[in-house]
Amino acid sequence: MATSSGLLAGRLALVTGGGSGIGRAVCSIFAREGAILAVADRNKSGAEQTVSSLPDSSQHTAYETNVASATEVSKLLQDIESKYKQVPSVAVHAAGINKDNFLLKLDEQTFDDVVNVNLKGTFLVNQALARAMVKWQVQDGSIVNISSIVGKNGNLGQANYAASKAGVIGFTKTAAKELARYKIRVNVILPGFIETPMTAGVPENVTQMIVDMIPLRRMGTPEEIAEVCAFLASTRSSYITGAVIDVNGGLNF
């Protein structure tokens, strides 16, 4: 059973993109803080591995979900409600992809693929979850969306990714305004250069160049993002909504 103490004791939490990287770290930190996890990912085995790594793993559940599909997102919420007889009161939407190329070489399908997962997926998950929260009259609801520093500053070879993540920022600010009346808070985190599968493929010389630009002189860890997520998901951040929080070691390239 969930621990009786912790920032999120007894709360049911949905984490998308929970099969790896930041999403997996969020699941670990949330479980430490007493939450029950619904772990969603396109990669079912990744989500299952996350669940198996959590304490009291039998109370957590893995779900295979494509966040760019309204049908699958709707089914995800229905399945969670059916299993737990409640809906999540907190969520971290960390699902995202990148398919990088320079603007002059970027094809339409690659642009669409990234926007569909990163931006449309944010819309679909937030909308479905907020509707469920309103229906169940959830108190102290909290949604944390994961954007990127690239959504604020842009980056070479990432026009599609930057556009999608900038959209997440604007979307979150609007959702926060609209959902406040239902006591649902919505905030967005902008990670910097974090040690995840997404950054693992960056050439070593490029990685070093970026690290040299970071005032703290190192890459961040997924756990450092997850700790901020836990704060925003908890009632300790009860007067914070519509906030855009940089977690980037001071990097503003």
Side-chain angles (χ1 to χ4, degrees):
M1 298 297 292
T3 58
S4 58
S5 61
L7 288 178
L8 302 170
R11 304 287 292 274
L12 177 58
L14 168 63
V15 178
T16 68
S20 66
I22 290 171
R24 176 170 287 178
V26 169
C27 292
S28 178
I29 298 299
F30 276 32
R32 183 198 71 192
E33 295 298 332
I36 300 167
L37 277 303
V39 184
D41 201 283
R42 284 190 312 174
N43 181 351
K44 180 69 177 293
S45 65
E48 290 172 341
Q49 288 169 21
T50 295
V51 167
S52 67
S53 72
L54 302 176
D56 299 318
S57 60
S58 62
Q59 69 180 342
H60 312 296
T61 309
Y63 298 91
E64 181 177 356
T65 305
N66 174 11
V67 298
S69 165
T71 301
E72 291 195 29
V73 170
S74 178
K75 184 177 185 302
L76 169 66
L77 269 297
Q78 290 171 5
D79 289 347
I80 293 171
E81 182 177 340
S82 176
K83 178 175 177 60
Y84 291 102
K85 310 307 177 190
Q86 61 176 309
V87 297
S89 59
V90 298
V92 175
H93 178 57
I97 64 170
N98 65 323
K99 293 185 177 182
D100 300 345
N101 211 335
F102 290 108
L103 178 60
L104 297 183
K105 298 179 179 179
L106 188 63
D107 64 83
E108 183 178 1
Q109 188 60 55
T110 301
F111 183 90
D112 287 347
D113 288 346
V114 171
V115 171
N116 282 339
V117 173
N118 295 358
L119 181 53
K120 181 183 174 184
T122 299
F123 157 65
L124 292 174
V125 170
N126 279 245
Q127 183 187 62
L129 182 58
R131 283 173 171 171
M133 286 180 173
V134 171
K135 177 183 175 182
W136 279 71
Q137 298 182 323
V138 166
Q139 300 298 305
D140 299 318
S142 177
I143 301 173
V144 182
N145 293 317
I146 303 297
S147 178
S148 169
I149 186 177
V150 174
K152 182 170 67 172
N153 297 332
N155 193 29
L156 292 170
Q158 291 193 304
N160 51 358
Y161 186 77
S164 69
K165 291 300 190 178
V168 170
I169 297 170
F171 174 88
T172 299
K173 289 182 176 182
T174 300
K177 291 178 185 293
E178 293 188 11
L179 298 178
R181 71 189 70 179
Y182 302 107
K183 296 182 173 61
I184 300 170
R185 298 181 296 108
V186 193
N187 294 289
V188 60
I189 293 174
L190 278 58
F193 204 49
I194 309 298
E195 296 171 353
T196 67
M198 192 175 286
T199 58
V202 177
E204 186 176 343
N205 63 318
V206 176
T207 296
Q208 188 57 53
M209 181 178 68
I210 296 174
V211 168
D212 289 343
M213 297 167 62
I214 301 172
L216 290 183
R217 288 295 188 271
R218 65 174 177 84
M219 294 176 69
T221 67
E223 290 73 22
E224 288 174 311
I225 306 299
E227 293 285 5
V228 182
C229 289
F231 169 70
L232 290 175
S234 77
T235 55
R236 288 191 183 177
S237 60
S238 56
Y239 202 54
I240 300 176
T241 194
V244 181
I245 300 179
D246 289 11
V247 187
N248 58 28
L251 173 66
N252 282 288
F253 61 80

